[in-house]
Amino acid sequence: MFQLPALRDPRHFDADLQGAAALGDLPEWDLTDLYAAPDAPEVARDLDWLDTACAEFAAKYEGKLAALDAAGLLTCIQDYEEIDITAGRLMSYAGLRYYQNTMDSARAKFMADAQDRVTVATTPLVFFSLELNRIDDAPMEALLTANTDLARYRPVIERMRAMRPHQLSDELEKFLHDQSTVGASAWNRLFDETMAGLSFEVEGEEDPLPLEATLNLLTDPSRTRREAAARALATVFESNIRLFSRVHNTLAKDKEISDRWRNMPTPQHGRHLSNHVEPEVVEALRNAVVAAYPRLSHRYYALKAKWLGLEELEIWDRNAPLPVETPATIGWDAARETVMSAYADFAPKMAELAEPFFDQGWIDAGVKPGKAPGAFAHPTVTTAHPYVMLNYLGKPRDVMTLAHELGHGVHQRLAASQGELLSATPLTLAETASVFGEMLTFQRLLAQAKTKAERKTLLAGKVEDMINTVVRQIAFYDFECKLHAARMEGELTPDDINALWMSVQAESLGPIFTFMPGYETFWSYVPHFVHSPFYVYAYAFGDGLVNALYAVYREQPEGFEEKYFEMLSAGGSKHHSELLAPFGLDAADPSFWDKGLSMIESLIDELEAMED
């Protein structure tokens, strides 16, 4: 149903609290398009309406879905969609305010209270999907073919009915719905609030730093500062490792119990169902990337060690700037111009769709105490508009993050035309516009490069982002697979989880790396493992898809723009095979992933050629 703000992109945990004045005026959210204030009468009105609407929906339809004709089922779905919009507006407002300052107890209370009210109000709706799924295939097909307007909702109904083999009794489903606020959601909040409250004493820094600023030091030109930051992170993570282990043990066990009752064949299966993607397609992606580790990350990091004049790399060297790179702070206005120009060069329509984010309070850009780390774009509801959160500190990578999140925003605006139930894009395709926006911005910057050193810096930065998107996220996925498999065998100690983390890190990063004591705890800060298990492969899926799409664009630019916007506008109304077919692409073909990976290889080839 309703959604909380989207997860933070783990590739973009870069921030620094110094030098903010040079950035110019950073925009803040204006959430009044949702509600004027937490105590605004409209909040109480909508909560009360939700109570009534859900009760009336249940009274009108519970036990009667199988008897509805096509027109009656269409009205039922439209009524459900209206409830979804109101619940989504309430929770979007509560969630966005909370992420602005997770340490504000009043904001945390407002979100928790709103979540409780919405959960209780919507409990009577649990029957809807259960009853819909009990309708046999033939009668359901007859209903869908009898009414064109109802047939529009076929993708929603089919995704819902994919859960038929895993459906529990009505009573159990209602219990799980009610219990959710003190289950996974509570552990998610504990994790968020703990992370936001951490501070790191970095040698050489006058005051303790928050997580964002400490992680940012891992990109500092000074190796001494990078090492100090890495050791500070390890110290704090280690001191909290028992708590983080408890969070992961509990959530993994909670998922295992749910999966067992639902007869899920694997821990990953629920994610594949929600993504509307076949397990074999994800497995083909995973296998292609793992097979490419030597050609991608191993080869690139060996090259980077040479640039840095090192025999071996430590973990604090992974995101180090190149020696030829001149540290630069990019002001907000310059970042806006760079991204908007890249968007406009591809299609004026793309820039027009992005413009309101800057001018109407749809972006919250600055780093502030208590603000959630990373970046996200949240679609809210189709009757409002998306919001983008950044932690912008003027790094070149921050400009790419802006391009990335604006891509999400453009996608969400286009997909909104599908309506609430059809607008949400499965995670496997949700990264398409964001990564494409990054690619457009990168290509613009590359074309403007004036020197060999500048081009090398841009190429290396793009390769590192791609490795972080593809290699690192598939390594994350493998870690989660190992974690959930191991948890089925019993409680995991912190050392057990640490060992699983190190097994995938060594494999994915390659033999050039040595790992400092303490790096084994770095799994603990990745929010996706907590908030949305197995989410991370969507990043690799999106990057591979975009690389293949961009290759098509370069080869045949004529007509590409129209097909691209049609794909984004489809939202969740079509399967990935239908969306890719106009471009002559098929994600089920193993060579599809090799096509995307070959683009990364070609950039590394160019970097190697620069050494000659």
Side-chain angles (χ1 to χ4, degrees):
M1 245 192 125
F2 51 86
Q3 296 178 331
L4 283 172
L7 288 161
R8 280 89 72 196
D9 186 336
R11 297 171 305 150
H12 303 302
F13 275 52
D14 300 331
D16 185 345
L17 297 177
Q18 300 176 358
L23 301 176
D25 293 330
L26 296 176
E28 294 188 358
W29 280 332
D30 176 2
L31 299 180
T32 57
D33 287 345
L34 298 174
Y35 295 100
D39 59 355
E42 291 80 8
V43 173
R45 177 203 67 194
D46 284 356
L47 286 167
D48 290 343
W49 179 88
L50 200 63
D51 290 335
T52 302
C54 292
E56 290 178 348
F57 183 91
K60 183 177 181 180
Y61 294 113
E62 189 167 10
K64 304 167 187 173
L65 288 190
L68 293 176
D69 60 13
L73 183 56
L74 173 63
T75 301
C76 174
I77 291 174
Q78 291 170 337
D79 289 346
Y80 184 90
E81 193 165 32
E82 187 178 359
I83 291 171
D84 202 33
I85 289 172
T86 299
R89 179 180 288 269
L90 286 162
M91 289 313 304
S92 290
Y93 179 68
L96 291 172
R97 285 187 74 252
Y98 172 71
Y99 280 130
Q100 279 184 301
N101 187 354
T102 62
M103 301 305 293
D104 183 334
S105 57
R107 294 179 187 232
K109 174 178 167 51
F110 178 75
M111 187 176 79
D113 288 347
Q115 180 76 76
D116 286 343
R117 279 288 304 273
V118 170
T119 299
V120 171
T122 56
T123 295
L125 305 185
V126 172
F127 81 90
F128 176 68
S129 61
L130 305 180
E131 280 193 34
L132 199 69
N133 287 350
R134 282 199 288 267
I135 299 174
D136 289 338
D137 288 340
M140 178 58 72
E141 185 60 30
L143 290 169
L144 291 171
T145 55
N147 187 300
T148 303
D149 291 332
L150 178 62
R152 215 181 134 261
Y153 290 94
R154 178 186 289 273
V156 175
I157 293 171
E158 288 182 348
R159 282 198 286 273
M160 198 179 294
R161 287 169 69 81
M163 285 295 294
R164 289 178 75 189
H166 313 292
Q167 190 166 291
L168 303 176
S169 69
D170 292 14
E171 188 175 31
L172 271 176
E173 292 287 0
K174 288 179 180 178
F175 167 76
L176 290 174
H177 180 86
D178 276 350
Q179 189 257 358
S180 63
T181 57
V182 293
S185 294
W187 289 97
N188 288 344
R189 279 187 57 203
L190 174 63
F191 174 84
D192 286 340
E193 291 168 9
T194 300
M195 274 296 165
L198 295 181
S199 61
F200 301 82
E201 295 185 0
V202 181
E203 185 177 347
E205 299 295 317
E206 291 184 9
D207 300 311
L209 300 176
L211 176 63
E212 284 279 345
T214 310
L215 287 167
N216 178 73
L217 289 177
L218 297 178
T219 66
D220 195 272
S222 167
R223 195 171 193 234
T224 301
R225 295 189 81 200
R226 297 199 304 271
E227 179 179 355
R231 296 197 183 280
L233 290 166
T235 297
V236 174
F237 293 158
E238 176 62 32
S239 67
N240 289 274
I241 201 65
R242 292 175 63 86
L243 172 60
F244 295 135
S245 296
R246 172 58 46 221
V247 170
H248 283 70
N249 266 290
T250 302
L251 288 173
K253 184 62 178 177
D254 179 80
K255 188 177 190 308
E256 185 273 325
I257 293 170
S258 175
D259 286 349
R260 175 159 35 89
W261 277 77
R262 294 186 183 283
N263 294 313
M264 292 285 183
T266 67
Q268 302 88 347
H269 194 72
R271 175 63 58 201
H272 300 335
L273 287 176
S274 67
N275 284 345
H276 202 40
V277 66
E278 299 76 15
E280 56 269 22
V281 172
V282 178
E283 188 66 11
L285 163 64
R286 182 264 171 199
N287 291 342
V289 174
V290 171
Y293 283 170
R295 307 194 308 273
L296 302 179
S297 51
H298 297 189
R299 185 161 65 115
Y300 174 75
Y301 288 127
L303 193 58
K304 184 165 188 175
K306 180 180 176 182
W307 295 334
L308 296 175
L310 300 170
E311 293 294 325
E312 296 176 323
L313 294 181
E314 264 289 0
I315 199 59
W316 54 77
D317 299 315
R318 186 173 64 85
N319 287 322
L322 303 189
V324 297
E325 191 171 334
T326 302
T329 297
I330 302 168
W332 179 252
D333 289 343
R336 172 178 176 168
E337 169 61 25
T338 297
V339 175
M340 290 294 286
S341 295
Y343 276 26
D345 285 350
F346 170 71
K349 178 180 178 180
M350 197 165 177
E352 290 168 10
L353 288 164
E355 192 72 34
F357 286 87
F358 295 96
D359 297 335
Q360 297 184 27
W362 298 4
I363 298 178
D364 196 293
V367 178
K368 292 167 277 191
K371 184 177 177 180
F376 64 70
H378 177 51
T380 71
V381 290
T382 53
T383 54
H385 56 78
Y387 285 91
V388 163
M389 193 195 83
L390 306 171
N391 278 277
Y392 187 84
L393 269 300
K395 303 289 184 180
R397 188 166 292 170
D398 291 339
V399 179
M400 300 302 287
T401 303
L402 173 60
H404 180 101
E405 300 305 340
L406 275 181
H408 278 306
V410 167
H411 194 172
Q412 290 159 358
R413 291 197 71 195
L414 287 167
S417 62
Q418 295 291 339
E420 196 67 21
L421 295 182
L422 285 164
S423 62
T425 307
L427 290 180
T428 43
L429 295 172
E431 296 300 318
T432 305
S434 56
V435 179
F436 195 82
E438 279 192 77
M439 179 64 78
L440 293 173
T441 303
F442 165 70
Q443 293 292 344
R444 178 175 178 81
L445 291 171
L446 197 63
Q448 294 174 341
K450 297 180 176 61
T451 65
K452 179 179 177 181
E454 188 177 349
R455 184 176 182 85
K456 180 178 179 179
T457 297
L458 288 167
L459 286 169
K462 186 59 177 173
V463 168
E464 291 197 10
D465 276 346
M466 286 175 153
I467 288 175
N468 284 338
T469 305
V470 177
V471 171
R472 186 164 167 80
Q473 301 311 313
I474 289 300
F476 281 180
Y477 176 68
D478 277 357
F479 167 72
E480 287 190 276
C481 291
K482 291 184 176 185
L483 174 72
H484 285 263
R487 184 63 181 89
M488 290 181 187
E489 304 301 319
E491 180 86 6
L492 300 175
T493 67
D495 286 344
D496 292 335
I497 304 177
N498 292 347
L500 296 176
W501 173 257
M502 292 308 298
S503 70
V504 300
Q505 291 300 300
E507 178 188 22
S508 62
L509 293 176
I512 198 68
F513 276 91
T514 58
F515 299 97
M516 68 169 187
Y519 179 65
E520 66 274 7
T521 65
F522 275 45
W523 55 268
S524 60
Y525 81 89
V526 181
H528 294 63
F529 302 155
V530 172
H531 288 287
S532 192
F534 306 109
Y535 178 104
V536 289
Y537 75 72
Y539 290 114
F541 196 109
D543 196 88
L545 187 154
V546 167
N547 287 343
L549 269 180
Y550 195 79
V552 171
Y553 172 53
R554 288 195 304 185
E555 293 164 7
Q556 298 176 315
E558 187 175 348
F560 181 91
E561 177 186 328
E562 181 180 355
K563 289 187 287 187
Y564 179 71
F565 282 120
E566 285 178 3
M567 178 176 67
L568 299 189
S569 298
S573 67
K574 293 182 180 179
H575 187 264
H576 63 78
S577 59
E578 295 178 83
L579 293 172
L580 292 176
F583 302 95
L585 299 171
D586 179 7
D589 182 353
S591 65
F592 170 84
W593 301 113
D594 291 331
K595 185 181 185 73
L597 295 172
S598 67
M599 175 171 283
I600 308 176
E601 286 187 75
S602 69
L603 298 181
I604 300 174
D605 290 342
E606 183 174 349
L607 286 168
E608 284 185 333
M610 288 182 172
E611 298 301 296
D612 298 337

